[in-house]
Amino acid sequence: MSTDDTVATLLLNPTLCDGRGMCHDAAPDLIELDEWGYPLLPGHTLRADLTKGQLKAAEDATHACPVLALHIERRR
Amino acid sequence: MGRLGIETRSSLSMHLSEYGPLPATPRRHGSEPGSLVDEVETAGLRGRGGGWFPTSRKLRAVVESSAGRGRLNRSRHPVVIANGMEGEPASSKDAGLLASSAHLVFDGISAAAATVGATNAFLAIHRDSPVIPTLLKALDERHAARLDPLAIHLVTPPARYVASEESALSHWVGEGVATPVYPDRPFQKGAAGRPTLVQNVETLAHLGLIARHGGAWFAELGAPSAPGSTLVTVGGAVRDAGVVEVPTGTPVRQILELCGGATEPVRGYLTGGYGGGWVAADGFDTTAWDPESMRTAGAVIGASVLWLIGESTCPIDEMARVAAWMAGESAGQCGPCVYGLPSLSDDVHQLATRHADAADMARLERRLSLVSNRGGCKHPDGTARFVSTGLAAFADEVALHLDRRCSVTARGQGPAAMPVPPARLALVDVSGRDFE
Ligand SMILES: Cc1cc2nc3c(=O)[nH]c(=O)nc-3n(C[C@H](O)[C@H](O)[C@H](O)COP(=O)(O)O)c2cc1C
Ligand code: SF4
Ligand code: SF4
């Protein structure tokens, strides 16, 4: 659910992601891994709204991904 | 006598004498008042491929995505793809429609192409479909009569379940690879990057009628929330399995009567197809066959399949066979699908063979919640719904299996087993050539 606190949205492309888990290593509090080693964003879908406090972790995760499967969409 | 003429095989001359000629659709006036898009909106037509999405909205989206296209720049010229793949093994309505009323479907393709200003149109059908000769003959007839404003090509993608998902179909038409594409949506960026309208063949047949008679005529029949008539494939423990055409909103009981009724006491129904959901038999036959009423009853209208499980068949066994096939149909791109679906399938197999305990069921529940909403297409979501609704609808049978028993072993297998195509080896060469 998008709220007033939302500053950006984290997007995962599952067809690119190869489950190496580097996003989790970079941001363990934001991204969990499932039993098969694939990332679970908050809310367990392919998009997660981010508060200001989560933005830094999301950026770290995005930069850590070797296949560019993560992407941040900023709020205008 | 239904609207779609599924009772008789029509040649072009029979088709024209039955329905009359298709009125010319003005080209490149997609969204303007009085256009076919307006009529489709008045009709309230919703797609018959499984999603029941409003067709007028899709037509408008394609028209809008093609805005700014130039005469020399083809990159925004729309493409129309008629989806005649019918990947659902338990469904045969599209094959029946194409066998009897191919010209009505081609009329719909023509009208849709003219409405969105498409420069290419395709009918996609499984490469081993027995209907192909009929379709080629119909296209020859139309070509000789110069009926269509553009050439309609028959294309035959691989016989994979997800190859008929709309982004996969666009991918195949554009690039010859039948895997789903994420996150681009076909109406914006489909075949070869062009705005692409993908519609089920039954949707297009209805469009062929709306082009002739208008939207108000179309909406005279059926449930107000999803008007018109609809084809239903009825199978399993039923006397006359096959395809019927009924007004939307027809009670399930009446559909069953058209098919001669059940052959034995019914314990549950699979609705919508293998990507649909199970419901227990109790009271379900009063439910109306339209998307809203079905949802309220905890069912899914989906691809309009109604499959009866009689008391002589073990539903857990059926679920295990189908889940294993669905797992093998993953396109091999997304982890929660590639690894999640075989895990689900293993759990159901364990239950069916009576080796599961409460801890295994807890693991299955957790896995079910982890495969939905995480794939590049809705294949995992459909498979998870197939399993989770089955566990709920047949909770008694699940309990028996956990107790190492089954209510039907003594009576043996039922006669009407769910159709499951030959299994593929999951996890082996998943990106391999059979998607090309
Ligand atoms: C795994 C999967 C398989 C599908 N298979 C078919 C199919 O065989 N035929 C079909 O018409 N739609 C199928 N669909 C739905 C299509 O993606 C698409 O929504 C539909 O063709 C659009 O047509 P409509 O709006 O006229 O319903 C499938 C969807 C998924 C997720
Ligand atoms: S780092 Fe990228 S590829 Fe690896 S698991 Fe995370 S999103 Fe997937
Ligand atoms: S969810 Fe499964 S079938 Fe759909 S694109 Fe991903 S791997 Fe392919």
Side-chain angles (χ1 to χ4, degrees):
Chain A
M1 259 304 124
S2 179
T3 64
D4 288 348
D5 302 343
T6 303
V7 293
T9 305
L10 180 61
L11 306 169
L12 169 68
N13 183 334
T15 63
L16 296 178
C17 169
D18 57 10
R20 296 186 202 186
M22 283 147 169
C23 52
H24 168 72
D25 293 343
D29 294 334
L30 185 71
I31 297 180
E32 293 173 75
L33 296 181
D34 66 16
E35 64 173 294
W36 307 290
Y38 286 82
L40 277 164
L41 309 191
H44 298 185
T45 73
L46 297 173
R47 17 181 338 128
D49 287 332
L50 301 168
T51 60
K52 203 163 177 221
Q54 291 172 308
L55 189 57
K56 173 74 171 61
E59 282 170 353
D60 291 346
T62 303
H63 293 145
C65 177
V67 297
L68 307 181
L70 289 168
H71 176 73
I72 295 174
E73 209 173 72
R74 310 255 164 190
R75 271 295 152 88
R76 272 152 286 239
Chain B
M1 179 63 199
R3 287 177 167 182
L4 298 174
I6 56 167
E7 299 84 3
T8 42
R9 278 177 176 256
S10 294
S11 65
L12 182 57
S13 57
M14 287 162 72
H15 170 71
L16 290 175
S17 70
E18 172 75 30
Y19 293 102
L22 186 70
T25 312
R27 300 196 72 176
R28 289 190 209 88
H29 297 285
S31 289
E32 287 168 18
S35 69
L36 185 57
V37 184
D38 263 8
E39 290 299 324
V40 173
E41 187 171 341
T42 305
L45 176 62
R46 292 167 63 175
R48 303 296 200 255
W52 292 74
F53 187 81
T55 305
S56 60
R57 273 167 50 194
K58 231 193 230 178
L59 289 166
R60 255 187 246 289
V62 171
V63 170
E64 278 159 23
S65 301
S66 72
R69 73 214 191 102
R71 198 165 55 85
L72 298 176
N73 169 15
R74 295 179 69 84
S75 69
R76 314 252 17 104
H77 287 211
V79 174
V80 170
I81 305 175
N83 194 345
M85 299 282 287
E86 197 158 45
E88 281 290 347
S91 178
S92 54
K93 65 155 184 111
D94 292 337
L97 176 70
L98 289 169
S100 62
S101 313
H103 285 295
L104 200 52
V105 175
F106 287 127
D107 285 350
I109 296 175
S110 247
T115 301
V116 301
T119 47
N120 296 80
F122 303 89
L123 169 58
I125 181 141
H126 266 175
R127 28 185 89 152
D128 46 5
S129 167
V131 190
I132 290 174
T134 307
L135 297 176
L136 289 173
K137 178 155 172 285
L139 280 174
D140 279 349
E141 289 176 311
R142 298 178 78 87
H143 190 69
R146 296 171 196 277
L147 276 192
D148 300 305
L150 80 179
I152 301 171
H153 297 282
L154 217 57
V155 291
T156 55
R160 295 296 304 249
Y161 186 67
V162 299
S164 44
E165 186 274 338
E166 58 188 356
S167 72
L169 217 45
S170 304
H171 196 193
W172 197 84
V173 166
E175 280 146 59
V177 184
T179 51
V181 175
Y182 185 91
D184 297 329
R185 297 325 304 151
F187 66 84
Q188 289 167 326
K189 213 162 163 252
R194 289 154 56 175
T196 301
L197 180 77
V198 181
Q199 303 279 188
N200 172 260
V201 287
E202 184 192 336
T203 311
L204 290 162
H206 290 299
L207 194 69
L209 293 175
I210 293 168
R212 289 177 165 86
H213 306 302
W217 168 85
F218 184 83
E220 280 168 14
L221 193 69
S225 62
S229 65
T230 184
L231 300 175
V232 188
T233 311
V234 188
V238 65
R239 208 151 272 125
D240 306 315
V243 179
V244 292
E245 181 182 352
V246 296
T248 57
T250 300
V252 166
R253 184 188 297 148
Q254 222 165 304
I255 297 173
L256 293 175
E257 278 164 14
L258 288 171
C259 300
T263 52
E264 59 177 320
V266 176
R267 47 162 57 186
Y269 302 87
L270 177 68
T271 64
Y274 294 174
W278 293 95
V279 277
D282 316 313
F284 178 66
D285 66 351
T286 59
T287 305
W289 197 256
D290 64 72
E292 263 48 83
S293 309
M294 290 282 281
R295 188 174 316 136
T296 307
V300 190
I301 190 166
S304 202
V305 168
L306 178 62
W307 188 273
L308 288 67
I309 289 280
E311 64 175 12
S312 67
T313 300
C314 172
I316 312 294
D317 220 54
E318 294 293 82
M319 283 166 59
R321 291 192 308 118
V322 171
W325 179 75
M326 294 285 270
E329 287 302 309
S330 166
Q333 307 192 99
C334 316
C337 181
V338 176
Y339 296 99
L341 300 192
S343 301
L344 291 186
S345 160
D346 288 349
D347 289 346
V348 181
H349 179 83
Q350 209 176 9
L351 179 67
T353 54
R354 290 170 259 160
H355 289 97
D357 58 27
D360 296 323
M361 295 308 286
R363 186 182 64 177
L364 173 54
E365 291 295 343
R366 184 168 43 78
R367 287 174 164 174
L368 282 167
S369 73
L370 285 184
V371 302
S372 295
N373 300 312
R374 295 180 61 211
C377 77
K378 294 290 177 199
H379 176 53
D381 306 56
T383 309
R385 186 171 51 213
F386 177 89
V387 172
S388 62
T389 54
L391 296 177
F394 305 114
D396 294 356
E397 197 64 57
V398 171
L400 273 184
H401 280 67
L402 288 174
D403 199 26
R404 310 282 185 264
R405 290 183 291 148
C406 173
S407 72
V408 296
T409 21
R411 271 168 290 167
Q413 276 294 308
M418 304 185 86
V420 176
R424 289 168 203 279
L425 289 177
L427 305 185
V428 176
D429 193 20
V430 282
S431 59
R433 294 198 50 81
D434 64 345
F435 280 96
E436 294 173 7

